[in-house]
PDB file of all heavy atoms in Angstrom:
ATOM      1  N   GLY F   1      77.365  82.854 -95.532  1.00  0.00           N
ATOM      2  CA  GLY F   1      77.262  84.074 -94.981  1.00  0.00           C
ATOM      3  C   GLY F   1      76.020  84.216 -94.088  1.00  0.00           C
ATOM      4  O   GLY F   1      75.658  85.386 -93.753  1.00  0.00           O
ATOM      5  N   ASN F   2      75.485  83.130 -93.567  1.00  0.00           N
ATOM      6  CA  ASN F   2      74.271  83.163 -92.693  1.00  0.00           C
ATOM      7  C   ASN F   2      74.551  82.668 -91.346  1.00  0.00           C
ATOM      8  O   ASN F   2      75.530  82.120 -90.995  1.00  0.00           O
ATOM      9  CB  ASN F   2      73.230  82.207 -93.297  1.00  0.00           C
ATOM     10  CG  ASN F   2      72.800  82.558 -94.728  1.00  0.00           C
ATOM     11  OD1 ASN F   2      72.803  83.750 -95.114  1.00  0.00           O
ATOM     12  ND2 ASN F   2      72.527  81.552 -95.511  1.00  0.00           N
ATOM     13  N   ILE F   3      73.691  83.076 -90.375  1.00  0.00           N
ATOM     14  CA  ILE F   3      73.666  82.632 -89.042  1.00  0.00           C
ATOM     15  C   ILE F   3      72.328  81.939 -88.791  1.00  0.00           C
ATOM     16  O   ILE F   3      71.286  82.345 -89.326  1.00  0.00           O
ATOM     17  CB  ILE F   3      73.886  83.699 -88.067  1.00  0.00           C
ATOM     18  CG1 ILE F   3      72.813  84.740 -88.085  1.00  0.00           C
ATOM     19  CG2 ILE F   3      75.290  84.276 -88.138  1.00  0.00           C
ATOM     20  CD1 ILE F   3      72.861  85.826 -86.946  1.00  0.00           C
ATOM     21  N   GLU F   4      72.257  80.928 -88.000  1.00  0.00           N
ATOM     22  CA  GLU F   4      71.053  80.398 -87.597  1.00  0.00           C
ATOM     23  C   GLU F   4      70.584  80.757 -86.243  1.00  0.00           C
ATOM     24  O   GLU F   4      71.341  80.507 -85.205  1.00  0.00           O
ATOM     25  CB  GLU F   4      71.198  78.712 -87.594  1.00  0.00           C
ATOM     26  CG  GLU F   4      71.530  78.225 -89.001  1.00  0.00           C
ATOM     27  CD  GLU F   4      70.379  78.429 -89.954  1.00  0.00           C
ATOM     28  OE1 GLU F   4      69.244  78.412 -89.603  1.00  0.00           O
ATOM     29  OE2 GLU F   4      70.632  78.518 -91.132  1.00  0.00           O
ATOM     30  N   TYR F   5      69.556  81.576 -86.267  1.00  0.00           N
ATOM     31  CA  TYR F   5      69.059  82.186 -84.971  1.00  0.00           C
ATOM     32  C   TYR F   5      68.006  81.396 -84.278  1.00  0.00           C
ATOM     33  O   TYR F   5      67.009  81.068 -84.973  1.00  0.00           O
ATOM     34  CB  TYR F   5      68.679  83.638 -85.222  1.00  0.00           C
ATOM     35  CG  TYR F   5      68.903  84.490 -83.995  1.00  0.00           C
ATOM     36  CD1 TYR F   5      69.995  85.275 -83.939  1.00  0.00           C
ATOM     37  CD2 TYR F   5      67.985  84.446 -82.920  1.00  0.00           C
ATOM     38  CE1 TYR F   5      70.164  86.145 -82.843  1.00  0.00           C
ATOM     39  CE2 TYR F   5      68.257  85.224 -81.871  1.00  0.00           C
ATOM     40  CZ  TYR F   5      69.293  86.092 -81.790  1.00  0.00           C
ATOM     41  OH  TYR F   5      69.558  86.842 -80.638  1.00  0.00           O
ATOM     42  N   PRO F   6      68.026  81.024 -83.047  1.00  0.00           N
ATOM     43  CA  PRO F   6      66.995  80.309 -82.472  1.00  0.00           C
ATOM     44  C   PRO F   6      65.641  81.012 -82.413  1.00  0.00           C
ATOM     45  O   PRO F   6      65.512  82.178 -82.208  1.00  0.00           O
ATOM     46  CB  PRO F   6      67.476  80.085 -80.993  1.00  0.00           C
ATOM     47  CG  PRO F   6      68.473  81.195 -80.744  1.00  0.00           C
ATOM     48  CD  PRO F   6      69.123  81.345 -82.077  1.00  0.00           C
ATOM     49  N   ARG F   7      64.621  80.172 -83.002  1.00  0.00           N
ATOM     50  CA  ARG F   7      63.250  80.715 -83.151  1.00  0.00           C
ATOM     51  C   ARG F   7      63.032  81.781 -84.183  1.00  0.00           C
ATOM     52  O   ARG F   7      61.943  82.175 -84.467  1.00  0.00           O
ATOM     53  CB  ARG F   7      62.762  81.291 -81.721  1.00  0.00           C
ATOM     54  CG  ARG F   7      62.641  80.154 -80.713  1.00  0.00           C
ATOM     55  CD  ARG F   7      62.208  80.676 -79.361  1.00  0.00           C
ATOM     56  NE  ARG F   7      62.044  79.504 -78.431  1.00  0.00           N
ATOM     57  CZ  ARG F   7      63.022  78.837 -77.961  1.00  0.00           C
ATOM     58  NH1 ARG F   7      64.288  79.157 -78.152  1.00  0.00           N
ATOM     59  NH2 ARG F   7      62.719  77.742 -77.136  1.00  0.00           N
ATOM     60  N   LEU F   8      64.148  82.296 -84.743  1.00  0.00           N
ATOM     61  CA  LEU F   8      64.001  83.392 -85.754  1.00  0.00           C
ATOM     62  C   LEU F   8      64.404  82.663 -87.164  1.00  0.00           C
ATOM     63  O   LEU F   8      64.125  83.279 -88.268  1.00  0.00           O
ATOM     64  CB  LEU F   8      64.899  84.489 -85.551  1.00  0.00           C
ATOM     65  CG  LEU F   8      64.506  85.351 -84.201  1.00  0.00           C
ATOM     66  CD1 LEU F   8      65.367  86.542 -84.107  1.00  0.00           C
ATOM     67  CD2 LEU F   8      63.020  85.740 -84.308  1.00  0.00           C
ATOM     68  N   GLY F   9      65.179  81.657 -87.183  1.00  0.00           N
ATOM     69  CA  GLY F   9      65.538  80.975 -88.452  1.00  0.00           C
ATOM     70  C   GLY F   9      66.844  81.552 -89.009  1.00  0.00           C
ATOM     71  O   GLY F   9      67.652  82.057 -88.343  1.00  0.00           O
ATOM     72  N   THR F  10      66.996  81.359 -90.320  1.00  0.00           N
ATOM     73  CA  THR F  10      68.242  81.807 -91.052  1.00  0.00           C
ATOM     74  C   THR F  10      68.195  83.252 -91.239  1.00  0.00           C
ATOM     75  O   THR F  10      67.316  83.880 -91.829  1.00  0.00           O
ATOM     76  CB  THR F  10      68.336  81.023 -92.323  1.00  0.00           C
ATOM     77  OG1 THR F  10      68.331  79.632 -92.148  1.00  0.00           O
ATOM     78  CG2 THR F  10      69.582  81.430 -93.094  1.00  0.00           C
ATOM     79  N   ILE F  11      69.306  83.886 -90.961  1.00  0.00           N
ATOM     80  CA  ILE F  11      69.481  85.341 -91.146  1.00  0.00           C
ATOM     81  C   ILE F  11      70.859  85.593 -91.971  1.00  0.00           C
ATOM     82  O   ILE F  11      71.848  85.147 -91.495  1.00  0.00           O
ATOM     83  CB  ILE F  11      69.521  86.150 -89.842  1.00  0.00           C
ATOM     84  CG1 ILE F  11      68.219  85.921 -89.125  1.00  0.00           C
ATOM     85  CG2 ILE F  11      69.718  87.609 -90.215  1.00  0.00           C
ATOM     86  CD1 ILE F  11      68.081  86.621 -87.701  1.00  0.00           C
ATOM     87  N   HIS F  12      70.741  86.319 -93.027  1.00  0.00           N
ATOM     88  CA  HIS F  12      71.904  86.543 -93.717  1.00  0.00           C
ATOM     89  C   HIS F  12      72.825  87.667 -93.124  1.00  0.00           C
ATOM     90  O   HIS F  12      72.174  88.781 -92.841  1.00  0.00           O
ATOM     91  CB  HIS F  12      71.664  86.959 -95.250  1.00  0.00           C
ATOM     92  CG  HIS F  12      72.930  87.098 -96.071  1.00  0.00           C
ATOM     93  ND1 HIS F  12      73.536  85.940 -96.486  1.00  0.00           N
ATOM     94  CD2 HIS F  12      73.626  88.152 -96.504  1.00  0.00           C
ATOM     95  CE1 HIS F  12      74.590  86.369 -97.170  1.00  0.00           C
ATOM     96  NE2 HIS F  12      74.598  87.620 -97.288  1.00  0.00           N
ATOM     97  N   ALA F  13      74.076  87.431 -92.805  1.00  0.00           N
ATOM     98  CA  ALA F  13      74.833  88.437 -91.951  1.00  0.00           C
ATOM     99  C   ALA F  13      75.996  88.976 -92.788  1.00  0.00           C
ATOM    100  O   ALA F  13      76.430  90.158 -92.501  1.00  0.00           O
ATOM    101  CB  ALA F  13      75.360  87.747 -90.663  1.00  0.00           C
ATOM    102  N   GLU F  14      76.526  88.251 -93.743  1.00  0.00           N
ATOM    103  CA  GLU F  14      77.761  88.682 -94.516  1.00  0.00           C
ATOM    104  C   GLU F  14      77.465  89.988 -95.207  1.00  0.00           C
ATOM    105  O   GLU F  14      76.488  90.163 -95.824  1.00  0.00           O
ATOM    106  CB  GLU F  14      78.122  87.589 -95.488  1.00  0.00           C
ATOM    107  CG  GLU F  14      79.450  88.032 -96.231  1.00  0.00           C
ATOM    108  CD  GLU F  14      79.806  86.936 -97.326  1.00  0.00           C
ATOM    109  OE1 GLU F  14      78.874  86.163 -97.706  1.00  0.00           O
ATOM    110  OE2 GLU F  14      80.927  86.984 -97.844  1.00  0.00           O
ATOM    111  N   GLY F  15      78.446  90.893 -95.023  1.00  0.00           N
ATOM    112  CA  GLY F  15      78.366  92.217 -95.723  1.00  0.00           C
ATOM    113  C   GLY F  15      77.645  93.264 -94.922  1.00  0.00           C
ATOM    114  O   GLY F  15      77.680  94.379 -95.359  1.00  0.00           O
ATOM    115  N   LEU F  16      77.001  92.865 -93.771  1.00  0.00           N
ATOM    116  CA  LEU F  16      76.347  93.873 -92.985  1.00  0.00           C
ATOM    117  C   LEU F  16      77.273  94.334 -91.895  1.00  0.00           C
ATOM    118  O   LEU F  16      78.200  93.657 -91.407  1.00  0.00           O
ATOM    119  CB  LEU F  16      75.071  93.223 -92.387  1.00  0.00           C
ATOM    120  CG  LEU F  16      74.030  92.642 -93.291  1.00  0.00           C
ATOM    121  CD1 LEU F  16      72.905  92.022 -92.425  1.00  0.00           C
ATOM    122  CD2 LEU F  16      73.503  93.655 -94.237  1.00  0.00           C
ATOM    123  N   THR F  17      76.934  95.479 -91.327  1.00  0.00           N
ATOM    124  CA  THR F  17      77.687  96.083 -90.180  1.00  0.00           C
ATOM    125  C   THR F  17      76.896  95.407 -88.973  1.00  0.00           C
ATOM    126  O   THR F  17      75.889  94.926 -89.101  1.00  0.00           O
ATOM    127  CB  THR F  17      77.618  97.558 -90.116  1.00  0.00           C
ATOM    128  OG1 THR F  17      76.271  97.969 -89.990  1.00  0.00           O
ATOM    129  CG2 THR F  17      78.231  98.118 -91.384  1.00  0.00           C
ATOM    130  N   LYS F  18      77.429  95.654 -87.849  1.00  0.00           N
ATOM    131  CA  LYS F  18      76.882  95.193 -86.570  1.00  0.00           C
ATOM    132  C   LYS F  18      75.515  95.885 -86.373  1.00  0.00           C
ATOM    133  O   LYS F  18      74.436  95.210 -86.018  1.00  0.00           O
ATOM    134  CB  LYS F  18      77.759  95.398 -85.391  1.00  0.00           C
ATOM    135  CG  LYS F  18      79.019  94.608 -85.265  1.00  0.00           C
ATOM    136  CD  LYS F  18      79.727  94.698 -83.935  1.00  0.00           C
ATOM    137  CE  LYS F  18      79.951  96.210 -83.736  1.00  0.00           C
ATOM    138  NZ  LYS F  18      80.539  96.508 -82.409  1.00  0.00           N
ATOM    139  N   HIS F  19      75.552  97.137 -86.700  1.00  0.00           N
ATOM    140  CA  HIS F  19      74.253  97.903 -86.537  1.00  0.00           C
ATOM    141  C   HIS F  19      73.171  97.394 -87.437  1.00  0.00           C
ATOM    142  O   HIS F  19      71.962  97.254 -87.124  1.00  0.00           O
ATOM    143  CB  HIS F  19      74.481  99.406 -86.796  1.00  0.00           C
ATOM    144  CG  HIS F  19      73.281 100.295 -86.854  1.00  0.00           C
ATOM    145  ND1 HIS F  19      72.623 100.697 -85.627  1.00  0.00           N
ATOM    146  CD2 HIS F  19      72.572 100.833 -87.851  1.00  0.00           C
ATOM    147  CE1 HIS F  19      71.612 101.381 -85.966  1.00  0.00           C
ATOM    148  NE2 HIS F  19      71.486 101.465 -87.272  1.00  0.00           N
ATOM    149  N   GLU F  20      73.529  97.125 -88.693  1.00  0.00           N
ATOM    150  CA  GLU F  20      72.581  96.651 -89.684  1.00  0.00           C
ATOM    151  C   GLU F  20      71.982  95.315 -89.331  1.00  0.00           C
ATOM    152  O   GLU F  20      70.827  95.054 -89.502  1.00  0.00           O
ATOM    153  CB  GLU F  20      73.188  96.636 -91.135  1.00  0.00           C
ATOM    154  CG  GLU F  20      73.512  97.964 -91.677  1.00  0.00           C
ATOM    155  CD  GLU F  20      74.408  97.885 -92.980  1.00  0.00           C
ATOM    156  OE1 GLU F  20      75.123  96.919 -93.131  1.00  0.00           O
ATOM    157  OE2 GLU F  20      74.505  98.846 -93.617  1.00  0.00           O
ATOM    158  N   LEU F  21      72.785  94.392 -88.836  1.00  0.00           N
ATOM    159  CA  LEU F  21      72.431  93.086 -88.467  1.00  0.00           C
ATOM    160  C   LEU F  21      71.514  93.229 -87.242  1.00  0.00           C
ATOM    161  O   LEU F  21      70.510  92.485 -87.186  1.00  0.00           O
ATOM    162  CB  LEU F  21      73.567  92.128 -88.212  1.00  0.00           C
ATOM    163  CG  LEU F  21      73.251  90.707 -87.734  1.00  0.00           C
ATOM    164  CD1 LEU F  21      72.353  90.000 -88.666  1.00  0.00           C
ATOM    165  CD2 LEU F  21      74.474  89.919 -87.404  1.00  0.00           C
ATOM    166  N   ALA F  22      71.914  94.006 -86.299  1.00  0.00           N
ATOM    167  CA  ALA F  22      71.110  94.188 -85.120  1.00  0.00           C
ATOM    168  C   ALA F  22      69.692  94.766 -85.472  1.00  0.00           C
ATOM    169  O   ALA F  22      68.685  94.248 -84.841  1.00  0.00           O
ATOM    170  CB  ALA F  22      71.755  95.197 -84.193  1.00  0.00           C
ATOM    171  N   GLU F  23      69.601  95.638 -86.475  1.00  0.00           N
ATOM    172  CA  GLU F  23      68.323  96.147 -86.918  1.00  0.00           C
ATOM    173  C   GLU F  23      67.405  94.979 -87.488  1.00  0.00           C
ATOM    174  O   GLU F  23      66.324  95.015 -87.294  1.00  0.00           O
ATOM    175  CB  GLU F  23      68.514  97.363 -87.890  1.00  0.00           C
ATOM    176  CG  GLU F  23      67.221  98.002 -88.219  1.00  0.00           C
ATOM    177  CD  GLU F  23      66.499  98.608 -87.090  1.00  0.00           C
ATOM    178  OE1 GLU F  23      67.121  98.894 -86.055  1.00  0.00           O
ATOM    179  OE2 GLU F  23      65.315  98.951 -87.280  1.00  0.00           O
ATOM    180  N   GLN F  24      67.999  94.166 -88.335  1.00  0.00           N
ATOM    181  CA  GLN F  24      67.327  93.096 -88.876  1.00  0.00           C
ATOM    182  C   GLN F  24      66.691  92.099 -87.919  1.00  0.00           C
ATOM    183  O   GLN F  24      65.580  91.742 -87.941  1.00  0.00           O
ATOM    184  CB  GLN F  24      68.206  92.218 -89.827  1.00  0.00           C
ATOM    185  CG  GLN F  24      68.446  92.863 -91.188  1.00  0.00           C
ATOM    186  CD  GLN F  24      68.889  91.847 -92.204  1.00  0.00           C
ATOM    187  OE1 GLN F  24      68.737  90.596 -92.055  1.00  0.00           O
ATOM    188  NE2 GLN F  24      69.398  92.232 -93.285  1.00  0.00           N
ATOM    189  N   ILE F  25      67.589  91.827 -86.830  1.00  0.00           N
ATOM    190  CA  ILE F  25      67.098  90.920 -85.805  1.00  0.00           C
ATOM    191  C   ILE F  25      66.028  91.619 -84.979  1.00  0.00           C
ATOM    192  O   ILE F  25      64.956  90.939 -84.574  1.00  0.00           O
ATOM    193  CB  ILE F  25      68.302  90.519 -84.852  1.00  0.00           C
ATOM    194  CG1 ILE F  25      69.361  89.705 -85.618  1.00  0.00           C
ATOM    195  CG2 ILE F  25      67.818  89.821 -83.621  1.00  0.00           C
ATOM    196  CD1 ILE F  25      70.633  89.420 -84.902  1.00  0.00           C
ATOM    197  N   ARG F  26      66.159  92.884 -84.713  1.00  0.00           N
ATOM    198  CA  ARG F  26      65.128  93.606 -83.925  1.00  0.00           C
ATOM    199  C   ARG F  26      63.739  93.555 -84.692  1.00  0.00           C
ATOM    200  O   ARG F  26      62.707  93.440 -84.110  1.00  0.00           O
ATOM    201  CB  ARG F  26      65.598  95.041 -83.736  1.00  0.00           C
ATOM    202  CG  ARG F  26      64.734  95.852 -82.698  1.00  0.00           C
ATOM    203  CD  ARG F  26      65.087  97.296 -82.721  1.00  0.00           C
ATOM    204  NE  ARG F  26      64.573  97.930 -83.966  1.00  0.00           N
ATOM    205  CZ  ARG F  26      63.440  98.237 -84.187  1.00  0.00           C
ATOM    206  NH1 ARG F  26      62.411  98.074 -83.339  1.00  0.00           N
ATOM    207  NH2 ARG F  26      63.020  98.845 -85.308  1.00  0.00           N
ATOM    208  N   LYS F  27      63.793  93.766 -86.027  1.00  0.00           N
ATOM    209  CA  LYS F  27      62.594  93.741 -86.806  1.00  0.00           C
ATOM    210  C   LYS F  27      61.977  92.373 -86.738  1.00  0.00           C
ATOM    211  O   LYS F  27      60.735  92.297 -86.663  1.00  0.00           O
ATOM    212  CB  LYS F  27      62.838  94.176 -88.256  1.00  0.00           C
ATOM    213  CG  LYS F  27      63.071  95.597 -88.472  1.00  0.00           C
ATOM    214  CD  LYS F  27      63.286  95.919 -89.905  1.00  0.00           C
ATOM    215  CE  LYS F  27      63.450  97.451 -90.145  1.00  0.00           C
ATOM    216  NZ  LYS F  27      63.662  97.800 -91.600  1.00  0.00           N
ATOM    217  N   LYS F  28      62.728  91.328 -86.845  1.00  0.00           N
ATOM    218  CA  LYS F  28      62.204  89.975 -86.749  1.00  0.00           C
ATOM    219  C   LYS F  28      61.497  89.713 -85.371  1.00  0.00           C
ATOM    220  O   LYS F  28      60.617  88.821 -85.331  1.00  0.00           O
ATOM    221  CB  LYS F  28      63.289  88.918 -87.056  1.00  0.00           C
ATOM    222  CG  LYS F  28      63.652  88.802 -88.611  1.00  0.00           C
ATOM    223  CD  LYS F  28      64.720  87.727 -88.733  1.00  0.00           C
ATOM    224  CE  LYS F  28      65.085  87.545 -90.250  1.00  0.00           C
ATOM    225  NZ  LYS F  28      63.890  86.920 -90.951  1.00  0.00           N
ATOM    226  N   LEU F  29      62.117  90.366 -84.357  1.00  0.00           N
ATOM    227  CA  LEU F  29      61.450  90.128 -83.011  1.00  0.00           C
ATOM    228  C   LEU F  29      60.232  91.003 -82.783  1.00  0.00           C
ATOM    229  O   LEU F  29      59.484  90.672 -81.812  1.00  0.00           O
ATOM    230  CB  LEU F  29      62.474  90.613 -82.031  1.00  0.00           C
ATOM    231  CG  LEU F  29      63.690  89.656 -81.821  1.00  0.00           C
ATOM    232  CD1 LEU F  29      64.813  90.330 -80.981  1.00  0.00           C
ATOM    233  CD2 LEU F  29      63.332  88.278 -81.252  1.00  0.00           C
TER     234      LEU F  29
END
């Protein structure tokens, strides 16, 4: 259920909506 994001590492995506995943990525940035 994970994605490997360049320079941000492993992010769990399964079970999230697009909006929720986008918010997680934005916080990591």
Side-chain angles (χ1 to χ4, degrees):
N2 301 325
I3 60 172
E4 295 297 329
Y5 209 100
R7 293 174 175 78
L8 298 182
T10 302
I11 301 176
H12 189 73
E14 183 185 15
L16 302 179
T17 64
K18 293 187 305 176
H19 174 77
E20 291 169 342
L21 178 58
E23 185 61 21
Q24 279 202 21
I25 295 172
R26 193 190 68 78
K27 285 184 177 180
K28 285 181 175 290
L29 291 168

